[in-house]
Amino acid sequence: MKHIILGNGPAGVVAAETLRSAAPQDEILLVGNEDAPPYSRMAIPYLLEGNIDEAGTYLRKSPGHFERLRISQRRGMAVSVNTEKRTVLFDDGHFENFDRLLISTGSHPVRPPIPGIDLPEVQTCWTLADARAIAVLAKPGSRVLQLGAGFIGCIIMESLVKRGVKLTVVEMGDRMVPRMMTPEAGGMIKRWVEKQGVRVVTKAGVERISRGAKDANAPLTVTLTNAEKVACDLVIVAAGVAPNVSFLEGTKVHVAKGILVDDTMQTSVPGVYAAGDVAEAPDLFSGRHLVAAIQPNAADQARFAALNMAGQAARMKGVLAINVLDSLGMISSSFGEWQGVDGGDGVEKVDEANGRYISLQFQDDVLIGATSIGLTEHVGALRGLIQGKSRLGAWKQRLLQTPTRFAEAFIACQRPNS
């Protein structure tokens, strides 16, 4: 049996290792399209901060790790897949045949169609090559404008601040991290970040980027949609990502926001699986398909996909949206249906003076979502209650009155008869 794994990020590496353990005699080929060993994109901010070197981003640091596991590697980008002939065509004209295929090709940063976005001082922050380019331009005192204040944008923001730049963040939404934080929580993060010296402009986008003078070394002028003009030396684009699926065009693999998979991580084509940021898997609560683009979900999905590729029956209970974010020292998190559901109940408690916030969302007596700031102790209990779909009984009313008692509720639900 021959397995091809497209993509050598966290999902691809975990899948390859799981496959080797579950199918000792099978052939495994792991394919990446960058000139670097498998690495974690989530480590790039630490590289920019100078806490680690490039080798510190590598997912497996022991020399010969993949060779010892008899996992073959090659560099290449898939340009098409023939699901009937079971072959993959790569950008160098090379074909590989497969019995089982895992697509873990991840996603790529979106570059909005803005005039000037292709200027050399406009960068995304996604690859090691991007990090090298940013390191050259983001010097202490450099004027940097970052487009986007979502989850990825906030992670990049911290590394830029630690490099000593003068940072302006521009966000189209009415608050920071609008797709993982309630309005109150997103507003708290914005006010905190501004206190740390970052200028934040919400409800605005970038209309155009131009060079301030004909001199090639002249700084850039960024015109915002509110007509403000901002002079800067570097623009970072963090305006969202899109899955890497173009090579599936013309196949029977169904793609919506990502590649649709079932609870075994199999796509609409038998023997073809997907995992990680490229996969759109059933949600734990609603069953609707969801791209849950975080590394723990990618690793879980990869393990389930690999076990099924090896012939073992393994089914995921559903993915849970999880986001944990450090915004210049303010720790926030959101889980599950944090925005609530129709017909559900919710409670919100704000203590901005002490940097604390919590919102809990219920359906019947089950906690289905939560948002928190500054509650780092026992926050795993929130995830446990939500992921376990625990029936709260009388604890629901107690949490509506005092939502910070969630850790007590978690313990009580583990010992229902105590």
Side-chain angles (χ1 to χ4, degrees), residues 1 4 7 20 90 96 106 111 149 164 182 189 199 202 207 239 268-269 307 340 342 347 381 396 401:
M1 181 78 74
I4 293 182
R20 173 51 68 230
F90 293 95
E96 288 280 351
R111 279 182 172 259
T182 63
I189 295 173
R199 181 170 178 248
T202 51
E207 188 172 278
S268 51
V269 175
L307 291 173
D342 291 342
V347 61
K396 176 185 174 183
Q401 293 171 351

Side-chain angles (χ1 to χ4, degrees), residues 248-309:
L248 295 173
E249 191 172 339
T251 73
K252 294 180 179 177
V253 176
H254 293 167
V255 178
K257 290 181 179 176
I259 299 171
L260 296 172
V261 294
D262 61 17
D263 58 1
T264 69
M265 305 309 295
Q266 186 168 242
T267 71
S268 51
V269 175
V272 178
Y273 295 78
D277 294 8
V278 77
E280 194 172 345
D283 174 69
L284 178 66
F285 288 101
S286 64
R288 72 176 185 274
H289 281 71
L290 169 75
V291 176
I294 60 167
Q295 196 160 315
N297 274 336
D300 284 346
Q301 292 176 2
R303 275 190 284 271
F304 277 91
L307 291 173
N308 283 286
M309 291 168 74

Side-chain angles (χ1 to χ4, degrees), residues 61-81:
K61 296 177 175 62
S62 182
H65 172 79
F66 295 101
E67 289 80 1
R68 279 196 297 279
L69 292 176
R70 292 177 289 110
I71 296 170
S72 302
Q73 297 184 79
R74 69 169 282 132
R75 183 185 178 192
M77 179 179 289
V79 294
S80 68
V81 174

Side-chain angles (χ1 to χ4, degrees), residues 2 9 27 47-48 97 99 102 149 164 176 197 209 235 238 249 258 283 336-337 344 361 376 391:
K2 179 177 178 180
E27 183 179 352
L47 172 64
L48 283 172
N97 66 299
D99 298 297
L102 175 66
M176 295 189 73
I209 306 167
V235 175
E249 191 172 339
D283 174 69
E337 303 277 358
Q361 301 296 324
T376 53
R391 287 283 178 189

